[in-house]
Amino acid sequence: MQTQFVEKETLTQDFLPLNGTDHVELYVGNAKQSAHFYKTAFGFNSVAYAGPETGLRDRASYVLQQGKIRLVLTTPLKSEGPIMEHIKKHGDGVKILALWVDDAYKSYEETIKRGAKSYQVPQTLTDEFGEIRTAGIYTYGETVHLFIERKNYTGAFMPGYVAIEGGYQPESTGLLYIDHCVGNVGWNRMNEAVKWYEDVMGFRNILSFDDKQINTEYSALMSKVMSNKNGYVKFPINEPAEGKKKSQIEEYLEFYEGEGVQHIAVATHDIISTVRAMKARGVEFLSPPPLAYYETLLERVGKIDEDIAPLQELGILVDYDEEGYLLQIFTKPVQDRPTLFFEIIQRKGAQSFGAGNFKALFESLEREQELRGNL
Ligand code: FE2
């Protein structure tokens, strides 16, 4: 009896415990100017920097933070090398979704033994503030998961980076933490990607939407939400589906020239003031749904704490599930290629992802796609 019990315990043990998202690193054409955009428009502050001044010869990286959200913006300084190759092919985009772990070496070992492709063998980085251990594996496309272990580190970010304090540090817009990061995969690649997260990372599929649930007159897609065991890290995955015209996922795959991160959802406790501040600072959001959306909102979602008027004014969408409701809005792409964008989300109980808004959202996206000549 005792043995059986122990075996069951072992089977359900999380072989890849995650504490959350450590940071998201974007490769960009001009990190200095991107950093200015995310600071001024989104309300991030500078926390660390690495570049020629700190002894790096080939790149510069700016580390920004707001709440628990850490963005790293990296640009190459020369025409050759993997960072420039990445930018040449994909444009500005997410290279690394870094996960905060207690044991980077073990995370690497456990995922490699389950079939992960290595990006970086485990290494220990040290400076006067302690040590950080990292290792990395590839996920979809050229996107990477880095495991970051920082329990013995008190510096600003990592060895090799200098802390940035003072200077231009604009006011926060109220962004708190990363709620989820969504990946787009190619035709018929969904099941493979889902199985990869299950087998290699120990994630499970907590929600699925098929092309009958997510479609407009013109296009369709499928989506599956993968979550790690404790629910701290959620990666929804999208795959295009056949429609009359080209879907937004196909547009992404065409312009990113491959699979990659579609959007980063960031949470706030007050979406109305966050979105108002971001708009005032020049962030562009998708156009609001037609008036009828707000006229029938309360019938659809039930009672909500917010007034309808500011939601309608700002184009904020509302959806609900058995546990509560959520408010959300999507930015336009944050670079010229129609690829990466951000979602701002405020959860009021709901643990879902706004499936009830997919139709309104996609119709808004299709209006943009049409303007780009990509529908
Ligand atoms: Fe989302």
Side-chain angles (χ1 to χ4, degrees):
M1 287 299 280
Q2 189 69 36
T3 317
Q4 272 179 344
F5 180 70
V6 170
E7 266 175 16
K8 203 175 166 199
E9 276 287 279
T10 315
L11 279 176
T12 55
Q13 231 174 37
D14 191 357
F15 63 83
L16 185 63
L18 303 175
N19 301 323
T21 306
D22 188 89
H23 66 268
V24 175
E25 181 165 0
L26 292 91
Y27 284 174
V28 296
N30 185 336
K32 182 177 274 199
Q33 290 189 4
S34 291
H36 195 283
F37 170 77
Y38 285 108
K39 288 170 74 174
T40 302
F42 277 64
F44 281 86
N45 281 2
S46 295
V47 295
Y49 170 80
E53 300 84 347
T54 67
L56 282 183
R57 301 313 302 164
D58 62 337
R59 65 184 165 90
S61 292
Y62 296 74
V63 185
L64 309 181
Q65 188 156 355
Q66 182 172 186
K68 291 180 181 167
I69 312 160
R70 201 148 40 194
L71 292 185
V72 181
L73 302 159
T74 294
T75 203
L77 301 177
K78 295 278 173 62
S79 63
E80 279 172 9
I83 303 173
M84 188 56 102
E85 288 304 317
H86 198 276
I87 294 170
K88 187 183 168 205
K89 186 168 176 62
H90 305 295
D92 287 8
V94 173
K95 174 63 180 178
I96 291 167
L97 293 171
L99 303 167
W100 176 27
V101 299
D102 287 334
D103 190 335
Y105 283 53
K106 183 166 180 290
S107 302
Y108 182 82
E109 194 184 298
E110 294 286 347
T111 49
I112 290 291
K113 118 178 149 198
R114 289 172 170 82
K117 182 181 160 202
S118 176
Y119 169 73
Q120 183 217 96
V121 295
Q123 54 178 262
T124 302
L125 310 166
T126 53
D127 67 8
E128 68 263 44
F129 301 106
E131 68 171 45
I132 286 214
R133 308 208 296 168
T134 71
I137 58 170
Y138 280 99
T139 175
Y140 46 77
E142 292 194 280
T143 316
V144 163
H145 288 316
L146 270 192
F147 302 117
I148 312 277
E149 173 188 334
R150 48 175 73 254
K151 58 178 184 282
N152 299 313
Y153 196 67
T154 57
F157 181 57
M158 275 194 209
Y161 287 78
V162 292
I164 305 283
E165 283 151 20
Y168 176 57
Q169 301 285 30
E171 211 180 304
S172 160
T173 58
L175 301 178
L176 300 169
Y177 57 88
I178 292 179
D179 187 276
H180 59 276
C181 293
V182 181
N184 282 342
V185 299
W187 292 96
N188 303 313
R189 270 270 301 134
M190 169 74 85
N191 291 341
E192 213 178 308
V194 164
K195 197 169 175 338
W196 187 91
Y197 274 104
E198 286 171 348
D199 294 351
V200 174
M201 305 273 287
F203 280 42
R204 60 204 169 89
N205 176 208
I206 56 166
L207 271 174
S208 294
F209 308 99
D210 64 23
D211 47 340
K212 295 193 182 50
Q213 290 161 289
I214 314 182
N215 65 75
T216 66
E217 193 187 342
Y218 297 127
S219 65
L221 68 84
M222 293 175 277
S223 190
K224 290 194 177 189
V225 181
M226 304 307 293
S227 171
N228 83 312
K229 209 146 198 174
N230 63 19
Y232 291 175
V233 176
K234 293 192 186 78
F235 295 140
I237 298 167
N238 297 328
E239 181 191 311
E242 286 299 344
K244 265 196 239 168
K245 294 192 179 181
K246 190 189 285 178
S247 76
Q248 43 145 329
I249 311 302
E250 285 174 88
E251 189 195 35
Y252 176 101
L253 294 169
E254 182 184 319
F255 281 87
Y256 198 70
E257 296 194 17
E259 303 181 344
V261 174
Q262 179 210 36
H263 74 265
I264 302 167
V266 286
T268 168
H269 286 332
D270 183 354
I271 196 166
I272 292 173
S273 74
T274 293
V275 172
R276 195 165 267 146
M278 290 175 77
K279 278 200 166 178
R281 295 173 185 208
V283 177
E284 294 180 317
F285 291 91
L286 290 180
S287 54
L291 219 71
Y293 178 92
Y294 293 98
E295 286 167 356
T296 58
L297 183 64
L298 295 183
E299 284 166 39
R300 221 170 41 245
V301 306
K303 200 176 121 32
I304 58 171
D305 301 331
E306 295 73 15
D307 290 331
I308 304 286
L311 300 180
Q312 184 177 338
E313 171 208 327
L314 298 165
I316 294 167
L317 308 173
V318 188
D319 195 22
Y320 70 103
D321 61 22
E322 311 75 51
E323 293 169 89
Y325 67 99
L326 62 84
L327 305 114
Q328 63 186 167
I329 190 169
F330 299 84
T331 72
K332 289 186 181 178
V334 289
Q335 58 290 307
D336 290 295
R337 294 197 200 191
T339 51
L340 176 71
F341 60 88
F342 283 76
E343 170 183 351
I344 315 301
I345 185 167
Q346 182 180 4
R347 293 188 180 279
K348 295 209 141 175
Q351 295 305 311
S352 51
F353 295 82
N357 287 323
F358 284 168
K359 197 176 167 65
L361 166 66
F362 293 168
E363 283 169 352
S364 178
L365 274 167
E366 281 165 9
R367 287 194 288 276
E368 305 277 329
Q369 248 178 284
E370 190 157 31
L371 287 174
R372 294 191 284 262
N374 292 332
L375 187 60

